[in-house]
């Protein structure tokens, strides 16, 4: 700085000091004045109203006080108010003076503030001038050379330009000599100095601004590689790119870098070009120690040799992972060396099969010999890895465990094969001292002796030896290094063998028990007296032991005993127990006549027959024929209901005895367990006995009860219900409380009880009572048969074993189908002995208990008649001839009944008539019955009416009367089909139109619930006819107002439309569709534009057939309309009253446009 500049600077600093002192003095005065102003403000007490307003208030109050007569209290109150207002007037005057003082003081404060501002501006100018002079002096230039430059700086870089606590800013000013000012609001940096200093500063700032911070994401391989070998790769990378600051952390795979863009890009390229590979080897913890080496020697060697990084990580298990990272070629070589190291030090185990004697020798004296052999092997191969031992006998093959042992050798792979060779040589030396002798395994116990005494003696012979015996194969091994000792032992064993020869005698299983039981006590004693031991040879029979001549004699004794005691076993059923235990049973007869002995094993249900083979087999055949039938003997079974079993048997079995006396040669038994009576004997006599019992059982009356639920919906005691329940059966029913008591023939009682149970059950229930043989056949059949029946027919199926019945419950139609299929299954199971015969339901009264029993007795067949199905199931026990007789008897009954019954059938469209006859015309039916002495039954399910007269033909008068009644019903009932889309209009709002229509013509009109387009008109003949004509006219008029397109389709398409497609097409095209299922036509009405044509096309696509359509407007036919369509239009109403098969006058209004 020059002297002149220095003087100017001094002068300016002096002036700045004076101005600063003056500013400080004025600031003191300013603060004092400001405090005084605040105090004036605090003392002011503002009054809201002006003095004039206050004076006016006083005047009004005085006027009120003086001119009005007021109570004293009010006058005092007014005076107090006047006093308060006067004080406010005084205060207002004082405020006026106070405000003048505040204005003066405020003007003084403003003047001082303006003077301070002027002085501050002067100080700022002086500071700028002084700084400019000092800057010029610092830069060694004149003030004229100084200039200012503004540099834009990114907001995120402002902090780096300023630095912590302004450190970077100070550093920049010191390095360049410039004055640097940063404006954070505008992100601008202002530089003051000469040109060269400013350029220097600009360059420094640009260096800061252009520096980038970046992160490079490293792969796991490269990250590990940079840390490998003492971080040598990282250091090389940093030295090669010194212009970039690099930061690497073990915790993160991100490499933090800072530098210019080009330098960072060069660093990224260098990292990308690194040829780094990483391989992981899974090892055990023991193998991990090998890779590390003693004191880390192996891992250090690998690192230095291949310039790689090796890291070993252990997990929670017994495993570890060796990670090798480096250049690809180096990693491959290092991994190869590691694998070779692991292989050579891998534990390997092998086994050598040795004689068990050698094992025992080596394990003597706590295994001293084995330990010595192991020590010698380790010394031979200069290692400590060789280990010797024997596998546990439980791990060995049981076939070889007795004579051999598995010698284990374990070592590292490097010496394993050589060690095995040396071991085998040592074993061979030991095996040369073994002598082997083979004996019969059954003699082994004699060689061992009681408590091992004999074998102990053998081991002490000569110089002593080790002896091992395989009890399974009979191999005896003698180990001794002295030949004479081995020969002495062998000679003693040969002597034992000679004294213990054996002979096997095959014996059947039943005979074994006999010989060991009381019956074989004597023969066992005789064999023992021959100095022969009798042993069990499982499972073939016996072994005789002793000298050869002795066991030969014992064998002859045993064979003679077996010849006289040949045994045959026969299984019998639990039902047969009682008849087999009778005093006069077949067992007693055979024992007496055939000289055999028969024992009954009740727990196993086995008959054991003993004697000579011929007699035992003869007795067994006779018993089989008796129990199962054969050789002229039959076994017949009938079911006996639990309710009458006592009556059938009689007191102390008196009835059974009587039946047997009346039919000599027949044995009869009744099982109280299965409720079955069994007849055994010659065929004809057995069937006669069966016929006698069945006939007498008809005389048995039974009592039974049925528990009724409290909430029973039907009154069963009602006359109609009782008639339905009994179905003409002679059963007396009385109701007492919650029970129904039944009394009558036992079979009728059973049938009525089943009917009541079906009525009171939640679902329809039906019982199919079967014969014992058929029921057993069903019980023993595949369970899947009944399961399939349940699933396919949606019913419940249960077996009632007490009543030999199949109980089927569910929806009535499903139950009927299930019963029918079950009967067909039974028929197919026994095609030659079972047959199904149809018997119409209307002859059910003819298949009474008496008739059914008579058919069973006469034909010898078992018969089940199901009135619900109108089917008979016949089953013959012995021959198809009896089955044919039974079928013929049923067919004769059906033919006889049909001659005496007048039947009127109706078709499906006339199903309504059954309900009408039972309701509207029931009184007329009763009149016909009384007049002609006949019975009329209406069968709703079969849609028919039957007329019968007991034992006589139906009178012609009854037939004619019924025909007249049916004609009357038909003329008084008409069913009319109208277009479905017209139905709503015909019924009218709140059914107003249809009610008025019915009232007008004096008829009743109902819409059929199950049909969307059918009306039922009924009343007098004339009224019904008039109403039907009126409906025809109404429909014609409606159709003329609602024209449409007629479409002829196949019947399956009408079904499809009714079920699903009609609503879909109607919604899609905005049309109405009427479907006539009788003549398979469809009419499309309404819609906008060509929507009805589109609807017709949709129907056409459904049908897949050619469709003829007939457009009609204002009652005119289309010119292209086929003649057949025109003819149909001329007869829009078809009167079917003359159809003989019809029950009603059926007037059909087709959906055809006229």
């Amino acid at each position: 700085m020059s002297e002149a500049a220095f003087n100017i600077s001094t002068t300016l600093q002096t002036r700045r000091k004076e101005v600063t002192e003056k500013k400080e003095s004025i600031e003191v005065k300013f603060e004092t004045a400001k405090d005084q102003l605040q105090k004036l403000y605090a003392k002011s007490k503002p009054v809201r109203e002006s003095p004039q307003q206050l004076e006016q208030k006083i005047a009004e109050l005085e006027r009120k006080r003086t001119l009005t007569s007021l109570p004293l209290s009010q006058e005092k109150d007014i005076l107090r108010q006047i006093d308060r207002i006067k004080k406010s007037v005084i205060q207002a005057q004082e405020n006026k003076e106070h405000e003048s003082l505040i204005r003066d003081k405020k003007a003084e404060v403003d003047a001082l503030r303006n003077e301070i501002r002027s002085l501050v501006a002067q100080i700022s100018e002086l500071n700028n001038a002084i700084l400019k002079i000092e800057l010029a002096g610092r830069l060694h230039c004149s003030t004229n050379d100084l200039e200012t430059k503004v540099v834009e700086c990114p907001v995120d870089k402002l902090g780096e330009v300023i630095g912590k606590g302004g450190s970077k800013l100070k550093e920049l000013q010191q390095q360049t000599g410039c004055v640097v000012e940063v404006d954070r609001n505008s992100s601008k940096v202002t530089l003051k100095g000469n040109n060269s200093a400013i350029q220097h500063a600009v360059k420094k700032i640009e260096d800061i601004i252009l520096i980038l911070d970046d992160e490079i994401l490293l792969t796991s391989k490269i990250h590990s590689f940079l840390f490998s070998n003492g971080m040598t790769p990282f250091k090389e990378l940093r030295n090669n790119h010194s212009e970039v600051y690099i930061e690497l952390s073990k915790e993160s795979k991100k490499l933090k870098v800072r530098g210019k863009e080009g330098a960072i890009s060069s660093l990224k390229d260098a990292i990308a070009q690194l040829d780094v590979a990483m391989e992981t080897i899974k090892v055990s913890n023991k193998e991990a120690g090998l890779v590390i080496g003693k004191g880390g020697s192996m891992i250090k060697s690998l690192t230095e040799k291949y310039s790689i990084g090796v890291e070993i990580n252990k997990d929670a298990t017994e495993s570890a992972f060796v990670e090798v990272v480096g250049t690809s070629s180096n990693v491959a070589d290092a991994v190869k060396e590691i694998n070779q190291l692991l292989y050579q030090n891998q534990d390997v185990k092998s086994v050598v099969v040795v004689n068990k004697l050698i094992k025992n020798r080596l394990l003597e004296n706590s295994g001293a010999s084995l330990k010595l052999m192991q020590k010698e092997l380790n010394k031979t191969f200069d290692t400590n890895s060789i280990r010797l031992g024997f596998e546990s006998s439980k791990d060995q093959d049981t076939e070889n465990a007795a004579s051999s042992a598995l010698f284990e050798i374990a070592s590292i792979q490097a010496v394993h094969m050589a060690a095995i060779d040396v071991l085998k040589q040592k074993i061979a030396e030991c095996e040369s001292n073994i002598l082997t002798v083979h004996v019969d395994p059954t003699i082994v116990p004699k060689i061992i002796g009681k408590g091992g005494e004999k074998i102990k003696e053998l081991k002490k012979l000569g110089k002593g030896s080790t002896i091992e015996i395989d009890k399974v194969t009979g191999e005896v091994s003698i180990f001794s290094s002295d030949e004479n000792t081995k020969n002495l032992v062998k000679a003693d064993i040969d002597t034992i063998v000679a004294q213990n020869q054996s002979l096997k005698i095959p014996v059947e299983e039943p005979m074994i028990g006999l010989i060991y039981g009381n019956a074989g006590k004597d023969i066992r004693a005789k064999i023992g007296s021959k100095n022969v031991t009798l042993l069990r040879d499982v499972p073939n029979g016996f072994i005789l032991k002793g000298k050869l001549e002795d066991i030969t004699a014992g064998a002859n004794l045993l064979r003679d005993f077996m010849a006289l005691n040949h045994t045959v076993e026969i299984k019998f059923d639990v039902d047969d127990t009682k008849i087999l235990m009778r005093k006069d049973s077949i067992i007693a007869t055979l024992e007496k006549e055939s000289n055999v002995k028969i024992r009954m094993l009740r727990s196993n249900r086995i008959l054991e027959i003993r004697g000579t083979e011929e007699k035992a087999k003869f007795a067994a055949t006779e018993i089989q024929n008796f129990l199962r039938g054969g050789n002229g003997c039959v076994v017949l079974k009938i079911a006996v209901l639990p309710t009458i079993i006592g009556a059938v048997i009689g007191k102390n079995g008196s009835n059974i005895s009587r039946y047997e006396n009346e039919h000599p040669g027949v044995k009869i038994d009744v099982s109280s367990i299965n409720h079955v009576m069994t007849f055994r004997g010659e065929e004809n006599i057995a069937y006669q006995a069966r016929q006698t019992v069945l006939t007498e059982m008809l005389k048995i009356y039974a009592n039974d009860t049925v528990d009724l639920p409290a909430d029973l919906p039907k009154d069963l005691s009602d006359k109609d219900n009782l008639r339905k329940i009994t179905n003409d059966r002679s059963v007396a029913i009385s109701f007492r409380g919650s029970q129904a008591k039944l009394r009558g023939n036992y079979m009728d009682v059973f049938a009525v009880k089943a009917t009541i149970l079906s009525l009171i059950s939640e679902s329809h229930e039906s019982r199919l009572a079967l014969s014992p043989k058929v029921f057993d056949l069903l019980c023993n059949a595949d369970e899947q048969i009944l399961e399939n029946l349940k699933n396919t027919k949606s019913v419940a199926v249960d077996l009632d074993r007490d009543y030999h019945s199949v109980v089927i419950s569910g929806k009535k139609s499903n139950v009927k189908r299930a019963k029918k299929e079950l009967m067909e299954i039974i028929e197919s199971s026994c095609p030659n002995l079972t047959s199904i015969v149809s018997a119409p339901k209307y002859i059910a009264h003819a298949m009474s208990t008496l008739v059914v029993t008579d058919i069973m007795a006469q034909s010898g067949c078992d018969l089940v008649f199901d009135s619900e199905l109108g089917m008979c199931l016949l089953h013959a026990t012995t021959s198809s001839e009896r089955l044919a007789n039974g079928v013929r008897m049923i067919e004769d009954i059906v033919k006889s009944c049909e001659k005496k019954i007048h039947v009127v059938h109706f078709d499906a469209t006339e199903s309504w008539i059954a309900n009408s006859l039972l309701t509207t015309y029931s009184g007329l039916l009763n009149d016909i019955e009384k007049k002609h002495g006949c019975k009329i039954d209406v069968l709703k399910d079969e849609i028919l009416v039957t007329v019968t007269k007991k034992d006589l033909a139906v009178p012609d008068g009854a037939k004619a009367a019924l025909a007249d009644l049916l004609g009357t019903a038909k003329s008084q009932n008409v069913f009319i089909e109208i277009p479905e889309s017209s139905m709503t209009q015909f019924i009218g709002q709140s059914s107003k139109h249809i009610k008025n229509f019915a009232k007008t013509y004096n008829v009743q009109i109902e819409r059929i619930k199950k049909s969307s387009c059918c009306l039922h008109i009924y009343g007098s003949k004339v009224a019904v006819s008039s109403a039907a004509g009126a409906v025809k006219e109404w429909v014609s008029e409606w159709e003329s107002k609602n024209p449409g397109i007629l479409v002829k389709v196949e019947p399956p398409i009408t079904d499809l439309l009714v079920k699903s497609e009609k609503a879909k097409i109607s919604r899609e095209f905005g049309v109405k569709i009427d479907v006539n299922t009788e003549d398979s036509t469809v009419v499309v009405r309404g819609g906008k534009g060509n929507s009805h044509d589109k609807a017709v096309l949709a129907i056409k696509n459904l049908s897949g057939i050619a469709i003829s359509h007939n457009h009609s407007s204002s009652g005119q036919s289309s010119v292209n309309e086929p003649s057949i369509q025109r003819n149909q239009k001329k007869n829009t109403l078809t009167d079917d009253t003359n159809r003989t098969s019809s029950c009603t006058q059926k007037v059909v209004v087709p959906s055809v446009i006229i």
Side-chain angles (χ1 to χ4, degrees), residues 218-226 253 276 278 323 325:
L218 304 175
T219 63
S220 297
K221 295 189 292 185
I222 294 177
H223 184 264
S224 300
F225 173 66
L226 294 177
K253 296 289 190 300
V276 177
M278 175 188 280
E323 290 183 355
V325 63

Side-chain angles (χ1 to χ4, degrees), residues 346-362:
Q346 185 178 4
D347 266 345
V348 185
K349 182 188 287 186
S350 297
V351 294
V352 179
V353 180
V354 299
N355 193 292
K356 203 167 184 180
L357 276 175
I358 295 175
K359 173 185 174 181
N360 294 339
R361 275 287 188 180
L362 291 174

Side-chain angles (χ1 to χ4, degrees), residues 171-191:
E171 183 182 339
L172 184 62
Q173 290 182 143
Q174 289 174 0
Q175 290 177 351
T176 63
C178 287
V179 175
V180 184
E181 296 175 353
V182 178
D183 187 349
R184 290 181 179 271
N185 295 327
S186 62
S187 299
K188 293 180 180 179
V189 180
T190 303
L191 305 175

Side-chain angles (χ1 to χ4, degrees), residues 121-176:
Q122 291 179 33
I123 292 169
S124 178
E125 290 176 1
L126 290 170
N127 283 335
N128 289 335
I130 294 169
L131 288 172
K132 192 172 182 179
I133 293 168
E134 289 178 350
L135 179 60
R138 195 161 59 247
L139 297 174
H140 307 291
C141 65
S142 66
T143 55
N144 294 330
D145 295 333
L146 296 176
E147 57 186 60
T148 301
K149 184 175 180 67
V150 178
V151 179
E152 296 284 348
C153 179
V155 177
D156 58 335
K157 293 291 182 180
L158 281 175
E160 295 184 27
V161 172
I162 296 170
K164 190 176 181 180
S167 58
K168 282 287 184 182
L169 206 59
K170 291 177 183 177
E171 183 182 339
L172 184 62
Q173 290 182 143
Q174 289 174 0
Q175 290 177 351
T176 63

Side-chain angles (χ1 to χ4, degrees), residues 47-262:
V47 177
R48 294 180 180 179
E49 297 170 305
S50 65
Q52 292 80 5
Q53 291 173 329
L54 294 172
E55 289 293 344
Q56 186 178 354
K57 277 188 175 184
I58 292 171
E60 289 175 355
L61 289 170
E62 283 291 347
R63 190 181 303 111
K64 183 178 180 180
R65 185 178 66 83
T66 56
L67 297 178
T68 307
S69 176
L70 298 171
L72 181 60
S73 60
Q74 288 186 7
E75 187 174 359
K76 287 182 179 180
D77 184 54
I78 290 172
L79 289 172
R80 283 194 291 271
Q81 290 182 39
I82 292 171
D83 186 53
R84 283 196 298 271
I85 294 171
K86 286 180 180 180
K87 288 180 181 179
S88 296
V89 171
I90 296 169
Q91 183 64 47
Q93 291 173 352
E94 290 177 355
N95 285 350
K96 190 174 182 181
E97 295 172 0
H98 193 71
E99 286 175 1
S100 176
L101 291 174
I102 289 172
R103 282 196 298 272
D104 293 342
K105 183 57 68 177
K106 190 174 181 182
E108 182 184 351
V109 169
D110 290 340
L112 291 171
R113 183 183 289 110
N114 291 334
E115 189 173 358
I116 290 170
R117 289 173 179 168
S118 176
L119 293 173
V120 168
Q122 291 179 33
I123 292 169
S124 178
E125 290 176 1
L126 290 170
N127 283 335
N128 289 335
I130 294 169
L131 288 172
K132 192 172 182 179
I133 293 168
E134 289 178 350
L135 179 60
R138 195 161 59 247
L139 297 174
H140 307 291
C141 65
S142 66
T143 55
N144 294 330
D145 295 333
L146 296 176
E147 57 186 60
T148 301
K149 184 175 180 67
V150 178
V151 179
E152 296 284 348
C153 179
V155 177
D156 58 335
K157 293 291 182 180
L158 281 175
E160 295 184 27
V161 172
I162 296 170
K164 190 176 181 180
S167 58
K168 282 287 184 182
L169 206 59
K170 291 177 183 177
E171 183 182 339
L172 184 62
Q173 290 182 143
Q174 289 174 0
Q175 290 177 351
T176 63
C178 287
V179 175
V180 184
E181 296 175 353
V182 178
D183 187 349
R184 290 181 179 271
N185 295 327
S186 62
S187 299
K188 293 180 180 179
V189 180
T190 303
L191 305 175
K192 295 179 181 179
N194 59 13
N195 186 268
S196 60
I198 288 175
Q199 292 301 323
H200 188 198
V202 168
K203 185 176 182 305
K204 288 286 187 183
I205 291 172
E206 285 179 348
D207 287 343
I208 295 171
I209 292 172
L210 295 176
I211 289 294
L212 297 177
D213 286 317
D214 201 356
E215 290 181 345
I216 302 173
L217 184 61
L218 304 175
T219 63
S220 297
K221 295 189 292 185
I222 294 177
H223 184 264
S224 300
F225 173 66
L226 294 177
F227 276 101
S228 66
N229 199 15
M231 296 188 75
T232 300
F234 174 70
K235 293 174 183 176
E236 291 178 359
L237 189 69
R238 190 167 58 184
N239 292 337
N240 293 338
H241 300 274
S242 57
E243 66 277 15
V244 180
Y245 171 76
I246 306 173
E247 184 180 331
L248 179 63
S249 168
K250 273 200 170 185
E251 288 73 26
S252 174
K253 296 289 190 300
K254 293 179 180 179
L255 187 69
K256 294 183 179 180
V257 296
R258 193 160 187 267
K260 292 186 177 180
E261 185 177 2

